[in-house]
Amino acid sequence: MSIKQLACLGGKPLFEKSVPVGQLYFPDWDKFRNSMDGIFERQFYTNQGPLTQEFEKRISDFLGVKHAICVTNATIGLMMSAEALQLKGKVIVPSFTFIATILSLKRCNLKPVFCDVDYFTHHITPTTLERTMQKDVSAVLGVNLWGSTADVEAVEEWASRHGIICYWDSSQTFGCSLGNNKIGNFGSLEVFSFHATKVLSSMEGGCITTNDDKIAARLRNIRSSYGAGYPVEVVKTSNGRMSEFQAAVGLLSLENFYKYQKNNELVRETYTKELQKIKGVTLENIHGANFSNHQSIVVRINPEFFGASRNVLMKALHCENVLARRYFHPGNHHLSQFDHDVQIQLNNTDRLIDEILVLPSGQPTSIQDIEKICSLISEIKNNIKAVSKLVTY
Ligand code: T4K
């Protein structure tokens, strides 16, 4: 494909419409309309209606987990989880995560203790945890990112050796497997996001999974005063309910999960083929998971070989309407609102925050689009001196 002139050098943007990074899969329209008709006929809109109950049952079956508790979104799910686990004091958490992970702790008056991640896998390890451990830590909140996972079993073994709780923010890893188990069966509990940008989506939504009856009962009670099953002691309740409309979309999305996952696999294969021609741009591997949902296409920019920083590439792509994102910039441990404990340098986290870029994937991005995006990256590299002079971020 020949690109006449890059947009940042005065040409027309290669894409007329923005190409975002989210998955944004949309279910079959007729099935969607039927679900909506059903909700309006029943006039049962929320509070554990029939679709939410069915969605929970389907998730449990799909993941092979005893309890699936659907919630409004993962942020609320994470807050409810900290309450249900009755955490106190400090919680070790990677800084390299979406801000909601950390905010859930702050909302529950817990102090985040930021932990570094492994530079190659992007995840916490027993070694990074050991360097972070301190007094008054009651739990580790691990995070599974991108469709990869941490070495979950090693982390859990480490937590149990230190007598602390381990639970997981698995917002980005629905449907991934580790050995013979699906993610969702680990730790005291796990939290998933079903946001529009996720492979399994209810547009907004989330779910907490656990094999522990007592924790599940607490969570149901915290979610609302409805559907608690039997009374258990909880300090605070909230409203974390999923509506029937969310559940309807979620059910259709779950029905199509393997179709979306297959498409994501093809997306990854195409990026792999195209990006290996460009020195300085490396597609990150899947780690941990032996089956991945391929939630995100993450590349690492090496300025020495690419000729400019990740930020220059990102800005040049934005000029072409390719909305590549630099997660999780500028780093939670650099944000002043967090009264946290950082007693060690988070060197790997700082490097990753500067070097990685998430490229478009999911429904809005066709295979041809990916080929165009990769040609664009190549062309930006070919013109890197001129681009760097004009583009600052
Ligand atoms: N923990 C982790 C590890 C997470 O990754 C997340 C969420 C959470 C916890 C919390 O889960 P939730 O409470 O959200 O369920 C997005 C999503 O909002 C967020 O769900 C996600 N992770 C995070 C990694 O990314 P933004 O602000 O970066 O993306 P947003 O919403 O601007 O969308 C990305 C792109 O997609 C944009 O270019 C716009 C486009 N877009 C977005 C939506 C929603 C569309 O074209 N259509 C749409 O409907 O946060």
Side-chain angles (χ1 to χ4, degrees), residues 145-317:
L145 291 174
W146 315 132
S148 284
T149 67
D151 184 347
V152 170
E153 278 155 351
V155 167
E156 287 183 9
E157 196 273 322
W158 179 89
S160 122
R161 208 159 11 96
H162 285 81
I164 60 172
I165 288 171
C166 178
Y167 68 117
W168 293 94
D169 178 348
S170 298
S171 288
Q172 304 193 0
T173 43
F174 186 89
C176 298
S177 301
L178 202 56
N180 293 327
N181 285 315
K182 284 231 162 64
I183 290 295
N185 285 278
F186 293 94
S188 296
L189 59 82
E190 294 194 58
V191 180
F192 295 102
S193 169
F194 300 155
H195 183 255
T197 52
K198 300 294 187 283
V199 185
L200 174 61
S201 160
S202 54
M203 304 294 171
E204 272 294 353
C207 183
I208 311 168
T209 58
T210 180
N211 284 307
D212 184 314
D213 295 343
K214 209 162 167 193
I215 294 173
R218 277 199 217 115
L219 283 166
R220 291 199 174 97
N221 223 350
I222 293 171
R223 177 175 56 187
S224 84
S225 44
Y226 297 87
Y230 59 90
V232 284
E233 264 183 50
V234 284
V235 186
K236 300 174 214 162
T237 58
S238 67
N239 177 359
R241 296 187 291 261
M242 174 176 270
S243 77
E244 287 291 275
F245 301 92
Q246 288 173 285
V249 179
L251 276 164
L252 293 174
S253 182
L254 187 59
E255 203 176 293
N256 285 316
F257 175 81
Y258 286 113
K259 194 169 109 191
Y260 301 159
Q261 188 277 345
K262 231 22 274 122
N263 185 56
N264 285 353
E265 229 169 49
L266 184 62
V267 164
R268 171 169 274 275
E269 275 167 33
T270 313
Y271 271 116
T272 306
K273 190 171 109 222
E274 297 298 319
L275 288 173
Q276 67 194 10
K277 303 171 196 161
I278 311 172
K279 218 168 163 202
V281 181
T282 316
L283 179 61
E284 295 292 83
N285 290 322
I286 298 295
H287 293 280
N290 51 314
F291 180 84
S292 174
N293 61 12
H294 300 286
Q295 168 68 43
S296 304
I297 294 293
V298 185
V299 294
R300 194 191 297 248
I301 312 303
N302 182 335
E304 198 189 325
F305 295 113
F306 187 70
S309 69
R310 181 274 317 270
N311 285 355
V312 170
L313 172 60
M314 182 181 72
K315 191 66 199 292
L317 286 172

Side-chain angles (χ1 to χ4, degrees), residues 36 38-50 52 242-247:
M36 292 302 121
I39 295 172
F40 287 116
E41 271 162 29
R42 283 189 295 278
Q43 296 197 327
F44 199 115
Y45 301 137
T46 185
N47 292 354
Q48 288 306 103
T52 311
M242 174 176 270
S243 77
E244 287 291 275
F245 301 92
Q246 288 173 285

